[in-house]
Amino acid sequence: MIGDFLSPLEMVNSAVTRFAATGLKGHMLQVIDPAEEDLPFDGRIRFAGVEERDEVVISRVESIRGDYSTRFQGHREELAAIASALGWSFGFHRTDRPPHLALLALFAALSADRRR
C-alpha cells in the first residue's frame, strides 16, 4: 500500500487489517511532502483541507513546530507498529528525495518475503 497515511490510525489499521485478514502480506510505504513533515512555515498560516471543508488558522505556526514534529513522528511509529503487528513491513519516502530510493527499498522489503 502506498499513501501518505495521514488519516486517523484507526482508519488505517482497519483498512490494512482487512487486507491481512485475507492472507495477504504486504508493505506500507508512506510518501510525504517535506512540508508535511517539517512544517517549515512561519507566521500566521491558514490550513485548508482538500477532502474536508474545515480550515485551521494558526497565528504563529513556528510556536507549534516542536509539538507537531513529535506528533508526526509518533504517528509514523504507530503506522510501523500496525504493519509489524500484521506481519507487514513499513517504510517512508519524502518527495524531495529521488524516487528510485523508495523503489529499491520496496523491492528489498518484498524480496525478503520471497526468500523465506
Side-chain angles (χ1 to χ4, degrees):
M1 295 179 77
I2 300 173
D4 62 16
F5 299 112
L6 294 177
S7 298
L9 291 167
E10 300 80 29
M11 290 176 62
V12 175
N13 187 41
S14 176
V16 177
T17 299
R18 281 195 308 270
F19 285 109
T22 67
L24 293 175
K25 290 192 174 197
H27 180 81
M28 291 173 59
L29 177 62
Q30 183 185 40
V31 178
I32 294 293
D33 184 277
E36 291 172 314
E37 184 169 11
D38 298 337
L39 197 65
F41 314 108
D42 290 315
R44 185 172 197 260
I45 300 289
R46 178 183 309 160
F47 294 99
V50 175
E51 297 167 1
E52 300 157 2
R53 302 208 187 270
D54 294 340
E55 289 186 353
V56 175
V57 177
I58 301 172
S59 61
R60 293 188 54 230
V61 74
E62 63 274 12
S63 69
I64 67 162
R65 191 172 290 125
D67 289 340
Y68 177 87
S69 179
T70 299
R71 287 187 69 187
F72 190 94
Q73 291 305 321
H75 189 87
R76 178 174 284 158
E77 290 167 8
E78 288 295 324
L79 291 171
I82 288 169
S84 178
L86 297 170
W88 287 31
S89 53
F90 176 82
F92 65 92
H93 175 74
R94 286 173 48 125
T95 58
D96 61 343
R97 297 188 180 129
H100 72 274
L101 298 176
L103 294 174
L104 286 171
L106 178 61
F107 178 77
L110 295 177
S111 295
D113 258 0
R114 289 187 173 181
R115 285 184 238 146
R116 292 182 191 166

